[in-house]
């Protein structure tokens, strides 16, 4: 289990955003690059991709993203080129938003930006997956929020404060590991252990407050009643599943993309 203690990251808040333009040269693209599935949304067209994350450099299939990490940057670029280059409007340089696991940090973000360069973006922004989930759920980001994201090969528990990451834990387990006997119990116990660790190490009441309000549950694991029942029993706290939890990250990335259009970095420059 990887541990990240408190840090803050994000863009300045409070600025006004312009509406998304209707010109064909102002394309927007949201990407959720999961180890099992890749999802893409294009402005004006909606969700255009929900496919396995795989590339075919030769005779066999290669999986360029594993356990939430981009292990093959050229392979990821080839996959994006094959899936998206012909789907984007011609002569455009899209503004791209990519979801990023919280605990992979700068390495994931840099690799994602490098892979996305194959699409000739005018700017690439990243948003923590937990924050994207909160945006999709319409959660009140002014209050402490605990997000439990159970993906195919990775599970993260993240505490958000003012929409920014305050604390996080993860385990390399997910719904793809549920085939074995006792796997549901193993994932549930891992999540409960992560939450308990956060409670014990938090010198404030933020984690306890967020848990009392109810953790936000997303990812494919939120569709498993057996897993959610175990989690409720293990944490002794309410859980609030996001509607269509398996697509929450891409829907939140879309909201971030729409808001980010007016941000200074959307032009390819960084804010002060």
């Amino acid at each position: 289990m990887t541990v990240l203690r408190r840090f803050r990251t994000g863009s300045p808040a409070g600025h006004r955003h312009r509406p998304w333009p209707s010109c064909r040269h102002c394309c927007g693209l949201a990407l959720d690059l999961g180890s099992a599935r890749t999802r893409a949304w294009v402005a004006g067209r909606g969700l255009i991709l929900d496919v396995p994350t795989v590339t075919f450099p030769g005779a066999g299939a290669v999986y360029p993203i594993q356990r939430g990490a981009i292990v093959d940057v050229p392979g990821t670029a080839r996959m994006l080129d094959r899936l998206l280059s012909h789907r984007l409007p011609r002569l455009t340089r899209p503004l791209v938003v990519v979801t990023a696991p919280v605990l992979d940090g700068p390495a994931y973000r840099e690799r994602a930006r490098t892979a996305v360069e194959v699409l000739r973006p005018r700017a690439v922004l990243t948003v923590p997956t937990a924050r994207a989930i909160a945006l999709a759920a319409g959660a009140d980001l002014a209050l402490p929020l605990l997000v439990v994201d159970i993906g195919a090969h990775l599970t993260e528990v993240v505490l958000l404060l003012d929409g920014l990451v305050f604390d996080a834990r993860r385990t390399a387990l997910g719904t793809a590991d549920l085939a074995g006997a006792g796997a549901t119990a193993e994932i549930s116990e891992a999540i409960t252990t992560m939450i308990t660790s956060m409670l014990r190490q938090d010198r404030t009441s933020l984690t306890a407050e967020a848990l009392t309000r109810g953790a936000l549950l997303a990812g494919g694991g939120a569709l498993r009643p057996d897993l959610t029942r175990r989690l409720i029993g293990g944490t002794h706290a309410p859980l609030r599943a996001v509607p269509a939890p398996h697509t929450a990250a891409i829907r939140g990335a879309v909201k971030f993309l729409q808001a980010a259009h007016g941000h200074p970095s959307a032009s390819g420059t960084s804010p002060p």
Side-chain angles (χ1 to χ4, degrees):
M1 180 175 69
T2 304
V3 176
L4 172 71
R5 289 308 297 162
R6 301 171 180 84
F7 71 91
R8 289 178 176 265
T9 180
S11 58
H15 54 276
R16 296 174 62 86
H17 299 293
R18 294 170 291 171
W20 193 268
S22 58
C23 71
R24 60 171 296 175
H25 300 288
C26 303
C27 178
L29 171 66
L31 283 173
D32 180 31
L33 302 174
S35 15
R37 300 193 71 81
T38 289
R39 298 181 174 96
W41 179 97
V42 173
R45 297 181 59 188
L47 187 67
I48 62 168
L49 280 181
D50 188 345
V51 297
T53 302
V54 62
T55 187
F56 305 93
V62 174
Y63 300 91
I65 302 175
Q66 299 176 15
R67 301 288 175 184
I70 298 177
V71 297
D72 182 358
V73 176
T76 304
R78 285 194 302 270
M79 179 188 70
L80 293 175
D81 186 34
R82 172 175 58 86
L83 293 173
L84 289 170
S85 290
H86 65 288
R87 298 174 184 265
L88 297 174
R90 295 183 61 187
L91 305 177
T92 62
R93 301 193 64 187
L95 169 61
V96 181
V97 166
V98 184
T99 61
V102 169
L103 287 168
D104 275 329
Y108 184 96
R109 295 194 294 271
E110 183 59 33
R111 291 183 175 190
R113 290 189 180 103
T114 301
V116 171
E117 282 299 318
V118 73
L119 302 176
R120 298 181 64 252
R122 60 188 170 101
V124 181
L125 308 177
T126 58
V127 57
T129 301
R131 183 178 179 185
I133 290 168
L135 291 172
D140 185 352
L141 297 180
L143 299 173
L145 179 67
L146 196 64
V147 178
V148 180
D149 180 21
I150 309 173
H153 302 111
L154 181 72
T155 297
E156 287 193 324
V157 179
V158 181
L159 178 64
L160 297 176
L161 181 62
D162 294 328
L164 307 179
V165 176
F166 188 79
D167 197 0
R169 304 286 191 279
R170 80 170 177 185
T171 183
L173 291 171
T175 56
D177 303 301
L178 289 176
T184 301
E186 184 180 2
I187 294 176
S188 174
E189 289 171 6
I191 294 171
T192 301
T193 299
M194 289 188 284
I195 293 175
T196 301
S197 174
M198 293 172 75
L199 286 167
R200 288 176 177 172
Q201 296 185 30
D202 188 356
R203 297 182 180 180
T204 70
S205 61
L206 296 174
T207 306
E209 180 183 344
L211 190 60
T212 300
R213 292 176 54 234
L216 201 60
L217 189 61
L223 298 172
R224 297 288 300 255
D226 53 340
L227 181 54
T228 56
R229 281 195 300 269
R230 282 186 175 273
L231 283 176
I232 293 173
T235 60
H236 304 290
L239 293 174
R240 299 176 291 150
V242 181
H246 57 302
T247 62
I250 187 67
R251 300 197 319 269
V254 170
K255 289 191 174 184
F256 188 84
L257 173 66
Q258 292 169 334
H261 174 67
H263 193 275
S265 59
S267 63
T269 60
S270 299

